[in-house]
Amino acid sequence: LGGVKRDIKAAFAEVIVPVFKSLELNLSARRDDYTGFGATTNPKASFKFTPLDSLLFRGSYSKGFRVPTFNQLYNGVTEANFTGTGVVDPAKCPSLLVNSSPGDPCNAVTFVTRFGGKADLGPEKSKLKSLGVVWQPIPEFSTNLDWWSIDREGTIQSLGVTGTNGFIQNYNLF
């Protein structure tokens, strides 16, 4: 990976808006610029609402972004024949049991595995959402309940095909 370089420039802005004594809004954004990869702006909005001293509601929405590492982009690719036995094509053989009869859809399959970088790999992106409530009826006791969701897109991952189960469990990715 010699000679590969990346400059990163970033800017962040945030504003907290006290709408009422009991309601506070927080708006922020981050701008990142990666040489050779491009730029992205990711916002975040959140609120805190305290209708009573003992009760607080909170929530947020934001977007995230992650650029692939140099290894994920530029490592050389290695190919190898899968050496496991007893692997069938799940789309053709629902029983997942190998049958060696000629022409049977449950014959064992062979395939090539590839490991390494991918120069046109895109970024990981995410959307995060949360809502929560905190109740503190007395100073010595509080309880909270939070709901959150993270939706990821373009997740960068490495799959290890370890035996039959690795192939079968990740069949939709092959």
Side-chain angles (χ1 to χ4, degrees), residues 23-45:
L23 177 63
E24 180 179 283
L25 301 178
N26 184 316
L27 304 169
S28 62
R30 180 181 168 121
R31 173 91 175 158
D32 294 288
D33 189 354
Y34 300 84
T35 34
F37 204 85
T40 179
T41 301
N42 296 288
K44 179 180 178 185

Side-chain angles (χ1 to χ4, degrees), residues 134-156:
V134 179
W135 180 53
Q136 186 175 15
I138 58 175
E140 296 80 19
F141 174 81
S142 72
T143 186
N144 66 290
L145 177 66
D146 288 288
W147 167 87
W148 50 267
S149 171
I150 302 173
D151 298 317
R152 295 183 302 174
E153 185 179 298
T155 304
I156 300 169

Side-chain angles (χ1 to χ4, degrees), residues 66 95 105 119 124 142 155:
R66 186 179 84 83
S95 72
E124 289 183 350
S142 72
T155 304

Side-chain angles (χ1 to χ4, degrees), residues 93-140:
C93 181
S95 72
L96 304 178
L97 300 173
V98 174
N99 184 336
S100 57
S101 301
D104 191 289
C106 291
N107 284 337
V109 295
T110 59
F111 50 91
V112 174
T113 59
R114 296 189 313 162
F115 300 93
K118 184 177 180 190
D120 64 345
L121 193 59
E124 289 183 350
K125 295 179 182 181
S126 62
K127 292 180 183 175
L128 300 90
K129 298 169 261 189
S130 71
L131 287 173
V133 61
V134 179
W135 180 53
Q136 186 175 15
I138 58 175
E140 296 80 19

Side-chain angles (χ1 to χ4, degrees), residues 20-90:
F20 305 111
K21 184 179 178 186
S22 61
L23 177 63
E24 180 179 283
L25 301 178
N26 184 316
L27 304 169
S28 62
R30 180 181 168 121
R31 173 91 175 158
D32 294 288
D33 189 354
Y34 300 84
T35 34
F37 204 85
T40 179
T41 301
N42 296 288
K44 179 180 178 185
S46 64
F47 74 91
K48 180 172 73 171
F49 178 55
T50 314
L52 307 169
D53 288 342
S54 61
L55 187 62
L56 174 131
F57 295 96
R58 60 187 172 201
S60 67
Y61 174 83
S62 63
K63 290 185 175 184
F65 180 89
R66 186 179 84 83
V67 171
T69 66
F70 287 140
N71 286 338
Q72 292 168 330
L73 289 168
Y74 304 118
N75 269 359
V77 175
T78 303
E79 290 188 0
N81 289 325
F82 180 74
T83 57
T85 59
V87 179
V88 296
D89 184 341

